[in-house]
Amino acid sequence: MKTKVKTYHEMFTGLLSGIHFDELSKAASLVSKTCLADKQILTAGNGGSAALAIHFAAEFGKNVIGSNDKQPRVLPLCCNSTIITALGNDCGYDNIFSYQLRSLLNSGDLVILISPSGHSPNIIKAAEFAKSMGAAVLGMTGFNGGKLKELADITLHVPCNVNELIGDVHSFFCHAIIYACNRKAN
């Protein structure tokens, strides 16, 4: 077990050392500009990525204060089980995020979509809808990036085929963005 844990650590630190900080800085700037423009940020993912999308929304909304001392508006689309199951049942699981965006999204908003494969149909539909509404899309991907990598305005890509490692690096991305945007930390 110790060898496996050590191997995981080595793979994780290797991925961290290969991060493209220019892209991560662009992502943090996009998030910051969205807040300064008094626009909202909406997040989504499936499974562990849903948990990370909710975590990002909670931490960012709690810890980042805008220049006007106003809390940013950050809303996770994946935490209301009533809405998700109703939409999944009546409209199809592929539409659970894009249907929510129909009533929430405005031009200039930012949608953060987390999908290791970059191929999840509900994430792709959300990205396509967001783009059609004039919203920016920040994607977090792994593997080969899938279609989300092509659709997103900025993609934070983890060149890896191990879901656990991809999720860990995505978590780093989220925390780095929160830290960069937090006036109290600077």
Side-chain angles (χ1 to χ4, degrees), residues 19-173:
I19 287 174
H20 297 277
F21 287 102
D22 288 342
E23 283 302 298
L24 184 52
S25 296
K26 286 180 192 174
S29 292
L30 176 60
V31 171
S32 180
K33 288 176 186 174
T34 301
C35 291
L36 290 172
D38 198 28
K39 297 294 183 175
Q40 64 185 345
I41 300 169
L42 301 109
T43 65
N46 293 295
S49 297
L52 183 56
I54 294 166
H55 178 70
F56 175 84
E59 291 295 314
F60 193 90
K62 176 178 69 80
N63 292 326
V64 175
I65 298 173
S67 60
N68 57 2
D69 291 329
K70 185 176 179 183
Q71 293 300 119
R73 290 176 291 152
V74 188
L75 176 67
L77 301 176
C78 41
C79 66
N80 188 324
S81 61
T82 305
I83 290 173
I84 290 171
T85 56
L87 289 173
N89 187 62
D90 297 343
C91 307
Y93 192 75
D94 292 358
N95 299 304
I96 63 171
F97 301 133
S98 59
Y99 272 49
Q100 290 182 73
L101 290 175
R102 287 182 183 190
S103 63
L104 298 170
L105 192 66
N106 296 301
S107 179
D109 287 344
L110 171 62
V111 181
I112 299 175
L113 300 170
I114 307 169
S115 173
S117 72
H119 291 297
S120 301
N122 56 8
I123 294 293
I124 299 307
K125 284 191 174 194
E128 291 170 341
F129 182 79
K131 301 290 284 184
S132 76
M133 293 295 293
V137 174
L138 169 57
M140 294 186 196
T141 64
F143 296 92
N144 70 0
K147 191 170 180 182
L148 179 58
K149 188 176 178 183
E150 300 166 18
L151 289 170
D153 297 291
I154 297 173
T155 301
L156 299 176
H157 179 70
V158 182
C160 179
N161 295 330
V162 179
N163 266 320
E164 296 81 3
L165 288 165
I166 295 166
D168 283 342
V169 178
H170 285 172
S171 181
F172 170 82
F173 291 155

